[in-house]
């Protein structure tokens, strides 16, 4: 039955999205839903879905939930290019209790009902269609995909200050949407609102195959942008001759919730990006006008760079498993759970996801605008030389020290063998605690367990950790949802507080620790390789 509330539907525009939307409407109508909101052309970024649930009125029509069609989550289909995600009435991903219940239902479902004669919805035009019969009326509203999200962002940032920066002669930028859903949002903000040339937005046309590329904003897959910014896939500088390299570069993923930030021949790691945004949050109106940032959180594999900022500036700090739902609980601690208010709040993951409590999802364009705001606030005097991305990051390192960090992904490995490798390390955690390896001593070896401080739920086996006495870390996680086979992720981190050692090559700074990590996991024996497919 329906209460007058809406079901929101949209996706990243990939394979089968258009077909799936029509099927969801027909099944939903048969189940008694009487109002649907659908993004124009079936397109909605993941953060836009969250903002629409939370911000778009009228309140009595507010969505009770949303289907996001994106292979960024639980990929399926012939080429693993289709997926379905469900978000709840708070705008965030469905909690584990709900997804577990849905999964259990899939094991026993024997039939479903649909309305086969329900007319196809024209997704190409914004407007309202009413379908009635003798029993009920169903209202379908095709909505502007970008309007609610962009209006929200206008309240979060000082667009006038950002425009002043973008209009400077010595500033140029490029934003690569990688043919995902982010393109229309990038164009709306940068071209329509901030008055920049369309050339600032590249690969901004959403395509059902992402233009044949892999829409993942990292040094390996965003190769067109990376080359434009004067780097190679390791983050090292390339010879650009006398070509002018843009001041600022950014990339988005397929569903618009992740980001990569680059300066001129300079790569900002996601962990450093999170720390820099947190340290400079007072430059962003959303935080400054609410009394300042209160809380920060990072996923466990993300580097401890933000921890140093939290300690210095007195923020509440949380280390969670990977997954945005854990951050959502912390943001909703007061609103839903009647606990402590940790907001305003910033959180991030090393997998290029950053966001705040303006929505309940990662938000790629939010992170790009946060960087532009920090740059704008650092460049208020146009008579002075431009303060660059690299300047801001190196000043941050001078103050807080540098967390040298990288992630090695071994993609498409045999899942059974990878599981065996993880199990062997899991069984040896006690034996490895106190073990000396080269110049490192393992202070703690464990399998990360998280007790949620808000709802008290417990998440086990979230990653095998080796924490060294000098603060360095080696972490291993196994993922089964990133393409064919399994993916082993190996995280390496070493803190450096010596100001004379802040500009080492990452590979050199971590060389000895990488050797220790490879010995600890013995991945060559189990998976047949020590060569990662991706290094970030």
């Amino acid at each position: 039955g329906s209460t007058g509330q809406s079901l929101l539907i949209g996706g990243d525009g990939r394979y089968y999205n258009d077909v799936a939307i029509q099927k969801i409407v027909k099944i939903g109508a048969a189940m008694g839903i009487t109002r649907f909101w659908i993004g124009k052309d079936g397109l909605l970024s993941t953060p836009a879905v969250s903002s629409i649930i939370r911000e778009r009125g009228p309140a009595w029509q507010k969505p009770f939930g949303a289907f996001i069609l994106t292979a960024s989550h639980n990929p399926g289909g012939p080429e693993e290019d289709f997926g379905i995600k469900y978000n709840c009435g708070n705008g965030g991903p469905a909690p584990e209790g709900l997804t577990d219940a849905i999964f259990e239902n899939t094991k026993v479902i024997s039939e479903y009902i649909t309305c086969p004669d329900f007319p196809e919805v024209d997704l190409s035009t914004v407007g309202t269609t009413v379908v009635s019969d003798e029993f009920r009326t169903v209202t379908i509203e095709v909505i502007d995909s970008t309007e609610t999200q962009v209006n929200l962002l206008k309240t979060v940032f000082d667009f006038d200050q950002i425009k002043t920066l973008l209009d400077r002669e010595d500033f140029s930028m490029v934003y690569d949407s990688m043919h995902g859903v982010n393109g229309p949002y990038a164009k709306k903000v940068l071209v329509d609102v901030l008055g920049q040339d369309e050339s600032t937005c590249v690969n901004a046309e959403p395509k059902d195959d992402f233009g044949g590329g892999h829409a993942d904003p990292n040094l390996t897959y965003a190769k067109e942008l990376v080359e434009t910014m004067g780097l190679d896939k390791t983050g090292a500088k390339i010879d650009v001759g006398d070509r002018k390299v843009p001041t600022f570069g950014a990339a988005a993923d397929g569903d618009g919730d992740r980001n990569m930030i680059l300066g001129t021949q300079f790569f900002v790691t996601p962990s450093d990006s999170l720390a820099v945004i947190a340290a400079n949050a007072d430059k962003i109106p959303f935080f400054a006008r609410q009394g300042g940032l209160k809380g920060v959180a990072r996923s466990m594999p993300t580097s401890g760079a933000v921890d140093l900022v939290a300690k210095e500036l007195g923020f509440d700090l949380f280390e969670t498993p990977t997954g945005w739902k854990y951050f959502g609980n912390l943001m909703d601690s007061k609103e839903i759970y009647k606990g402590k208010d940790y907001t305003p709040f910033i959180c991030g993951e090393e997998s290029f996801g950053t966001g705040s409590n303006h929505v309940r999802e990662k938000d790629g364009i939010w992170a790009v605008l946060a960087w532009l705001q920090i740059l704008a606030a650092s460049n208020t005097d146009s008579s002075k030389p431009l303060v660059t991305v690299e300047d801001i990051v190196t000043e941050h390192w001078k103050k807080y020290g540098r967390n040298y960090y990288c992630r090695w992904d071994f993609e498409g490995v045999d899942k059974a063998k990878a599981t065996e490798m993880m199990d062997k390390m899991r069984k040896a955690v006690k034996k490895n605690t106190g073990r000396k390896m080269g110049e490192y001593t393992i202070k703690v070896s464990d399998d990360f367990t998280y007790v949620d401080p808000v709802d008290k739920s417990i998440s086990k086996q979230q990653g095998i950790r080796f924490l060294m006495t000098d603060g360095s870390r080696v972490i291993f996680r196994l993922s089964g949802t990133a393409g064919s086979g399994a993916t082993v992720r190996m995280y390496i981190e070493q803190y450096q507080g010596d100001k004379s050692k802040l500009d080492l090559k990452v590979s050199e700074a971590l060389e000895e620790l990488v050797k220790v990590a490879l010995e600890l996991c013995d991945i060559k024996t189990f998976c047949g390789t020590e060569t990662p497919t991706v290094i970030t």
Side-chain angles (χ1 to χ4, degrees):
S2 178
T3 58
Q5 289 181 291
S6 307
L7 175 64
L8 178 62
I9 313 170
D12 62 12
R14 271 193 99 181
Y15 165 80
Y16 207 66
N17 269 20
D18 51 352
V19 179
I21 288 170
Q22 304 293 345
K23 289 180 182 289
I24 291 169
V25 170
K26 289 177 181 182
I27 294 169
M31 296 294 291
I33 295 169
T34 58
R35 186 179 302 278
F36 297 87
W37 289 353
I38 308 173
K40 182 179 179 289
D41 298 319
L43 299 176
L44 285 175
S45 74
T46 294
V49 167
S50 188
S51 68
I52 290 165
I53 291 173
R54 296 177 65 81
E55 302 287 336
R56 192 176 191 272
W60 66 275
Q61 295 179 6
K62 178 185 183 311
F64 60 83
F67 283 114
I68 309 176
L69 308 176
T70 170
S72 287
H73 309 273
N74 308 312
E79 302 291 333
E80 296 202 325
D81 50 8
F82 177 76
I84 299 178
K85 182 183 182 209
Y86 187 74
N87 278 33
C88 297
N90 71 330
E96 222 158 280
L98 178 54
T99 53
D100 287 348
I102 291 169
F103 176 57
E104 290 306 316
N105 274 350
T106 65
K107 296 178 181 177
V108 297
I109 191 169
S110 58
E111 62 180 16
Y112 67 90
I113 56 173
T114 184
C115 291
D117 298 328
F118 197 92
E120 293 279 302
V121 181
D122 177 7
L123 301 175
S124 65
T125 308
V126 170
T128 302
T129 302
V130 177
V131 180
S132 296
D133 63 13
E134 58 192 293
F135 303 109
R136 76 188 117 110
T137 297
V138 175
T139 303
I140 297 168
E141 197 173 339
V142 176
I143 64 174
D144 186 301
S145 299
T146 64
E147 183 180 34
T148 303
Q149 168 79 339
V150 173
N151 284 343
L152 176 60
L153 292 170
K154 284 179 183 175
T155 71
V156 171
F157 299 103
D158 180 347
F159 272 39
D160 289 338
Q161 189 184 53
I162 291 172
K163 180 169 168 50
T164 301
L165 170 76
L166 297 179
D167 288 345
R168 279 180 63 148
E169 286 291 320
D170 55 355
F171 188 90
S172 58
M173 73 166 284
V174 60
Y175 193 0
D176 187 348
S177 293
M178 301 185 77
H179 291 300
V181 76
N182 188 68
Y185 298 86
K187 284 201 282 192
K188 185 73 178 175
V189 169
L190 290 171
V191 181
D192 296 352
V193 179
L194 293 170
Q196 302 307 297
D197 191 84
E198 283 204 16
S199 62
T200 57
C201 302
V202 300
N203 299 321
E205 185 77 28
K207 294 188 176 179
D208 63 5
D209 64 348
F210 294 158
H214 183 54
D216 207 346
N218 60 42
L219 292 169
T220 299
Y221 292 117
K223 51 185 178 235
E224 183 184 331
L225 173 72
V226 171
E227 189 176 330
T228 298
M229 298 305 295
L231 298 171
D232 66 16
K233 68 178 184 180
T234 70
K237 294 180 181 181
I238 59 173
D239 182 7
V240 295
D242 53 9
R243 172 171 70 84
K244 191 166 173 11
V245 176
T247 318
F248 181 82
D253 69 332
D255 67 326
D257 63 352
R258 293 187 297 133
N259 74 95
M260 176 170 65
I261 302 296
L262 301 163
T264 304
Q265 297 195 289
F266 188 83
F267 167 60
V268 184
T269 70
S271 298
D272 279 339
S273 179
L274 172 65
V276 168
I277 294 172
N280 291 277
D282 59 345
K283 295 179 170 72
I284 299 169
F286 180 82
F287 303 106
R289 290 174 191 164
Q290 295 185 79
L293 184 63
K294 280 188 195 167
V296 292
R298 62 168 174 84
S299 64
M300 180 272 287
T302 303
S303 96
V306 77
D307 304 31
L308 302 168
V309 175
K311 186 178 178 185
E312 172 78 16
L313 300 180
F315 303 146
D316 287 313
L317 170 70
F318 302 91
E319 179 182 41
T320 76
T322 297
W324 213 256
K325 57 195 170 191
Y326 301 105
F327 297 149
N329 266 9
L330 293 164
M331 294 178 200
D332 288 330
S333 175
K334 182 181 180 186
E335 194 176 326
I336 292 179
Y337 297 96
K338 312 305 178 198
K340 182 178 176 181
D341 186 4
Y342 298 114
T343 63
F345 194 82
I346 287 175
C347 42
E349 298 175 336
E350 47 69 39
S351 51
F352 295 85
T354 331
S356 83
N357 62 294
H358 70 294
V359 290
R360 295 296 181 270
E361 286 282 5
K362 301 184 279 278
D363 190 346
I365 200 165
W366 174 89
V368 171
L369 287 166
W371 266 95
L372 290 174
Q373 190 83 78
I374 292 164
L375 283 164
S378 305
N379 285 289
T380 52
D381 186 346
S382 60
S383 67
K384 291 183 178 175
L386 189 75
V387 177
T388 66
V389 171
E390 184 172 358
D391 293 334
I392 286 168
V393 175
T394 50
E395 280 304 309
H396 182 92
W397 290 339
K398 283 175 192 170
K399 180 171 183 178
Y400 293 100
R402 181 176 180 183
N403 294 69
Y404 283 100
Y405 180 91
C406 72
R407 181 180 104 187
W408 286 21
D409 287 2
F410 299 87
E411 296 174 329
V413 297
D414 183 276
K415 190 163 188 180
K417 292 285 189 187
T419 302
E420 195 182 332
M421 180 188 81
M422 295 292 285
D423 286 343
K424 185 182 176 187
M425 284 191 284
R426 194 170 281 120
K427 286 173 186 156
V429 290
K430 281 187 180 169
K431 189 173 75 176
N432 277 321
T433 297
R435 181 179 171 189
K436 193 164 185 349
M437 300 184 74
E439 61 190 76
Y440 298 96
T441 302
I442 300 171
K443 183 180 179 183
V444 176
S445 170
D446 68 7
D447 192 355
F448 183 58
T449 295
Y450 179 67
V451 180
D452 193 303
V454 178
D455 67 8
K456 311 305 177 194
S457 61
I458 299 171
S459 303
K460 296 182 177 177
Q461 294 195 354
Q462 295 297 314
I464 295 164
R465 305 190 299 176
F466 300 94
L467 312 179
M468 310 301 178
T469 51
D470 69 346
S472 302
R473 300 190 308 160
V474 174
I475 295 158
F476 294 92
R477 290 181 62 245
L478 180 61
S479 166
T481 60
S484 56
T487 298
V488 174
R489 304 195 198 281
M490 180 174 88
Y491 308 84
I492 313 287
E493 176 184 4
Q494 178 153 335
Y495 176 72
Q496 181 56 260
D498 184 341
K499 286 187 170 60
S500 68
K501 296 180 179 176
L502 297 178
D503 58 353
L504 302 177
K505 277 183 72 174
V506 174
S507 56
E508 290 169 9
L510 298 176
E511 189 175 6
E512 291 305 312
L513 196 54
V514 166
K515 287 178 187 170
V516 168
L518 292 171
E519 187 180 338
L520 282 165
C521 67
D522 196 16
I523 194 167
K524 184 144 195 195
T525 300
F526 286 95
C527 300
T529 183
E530 283 187 345
T531 306
T533 44
V534 179
I535 296 179
T536 48

